[in-house]
Amino acid sequence: FFPTVVSGEEVENGKPAPDIFVRAAQRMGIRPDRCLVIEDSRNGVQGAIAAGMTCVGFRNPQSGNQDLRGAHLIIDSFGPGQRSEIARLLGE
């Protein structure tokens, strides 16, 4: 399902640094401002925003009570309503 995968072991700085997000965009040949990141952690949200990407914070019960406030949108599920919110966020 994914055209590329980037591991934290492949970049100099881990999250919340934007390195992993920037590397993924570079590999796909996409500008960071054209990327959508779905993150379930505070550090991930911070890294995605620092990379200049649109970020959706996902309240994942398996990730504990993460502070996702920096995300452009925060969701609790991937149901139809949330997918519509993501589409609106992307201007679709």
Side-chain angles (χ1 to χ4, degrees):
F1 294 109
F2 300 100
T4 190
V5 176
V6 180
S7 165
E9 296 174 359
E10 299 176 53
V11 294
E12 185 174 341
N13 301 299
K15 300 174 190 176
D19 301 26
I20 196 165
F21 299 106
V22 172
R23 175 77 50 89
Q26 288 171 339
R27 282 197 186 161
M28 292 187 292
I30 301 171
R31 294 188 339 243
D33 66 331
R34 300 291 301 151
C35 294
L36 172 71
V37 175
I38 299 174
E39 259 298 339
D40 66 349
S41 73
R42 177 182 157 275
N43 285 347
V45 168
Q46 289 178 346
I49 298 299
M53 299 178 174
T54 300
C55 184
V56 173
F58 171 57
R59 287 190 187 111
N60 180 354
Q62 305 303 315
S63 296
N65 188 21
Q66 296 282 325
D67 179 2
L68 306 175
R69 285 181 288 178
H72 295 96
L73 173 68
I74 299 173
I75 61 173
D76 295 310
S77 74
F78 291 97
Q82 289 75 20
R83 291 193 304 267
S84 294
E85 289 182 58
I86 293 169
R88 278 193 297 277
L89 179 67
L90 297 174
E92 296 179 4

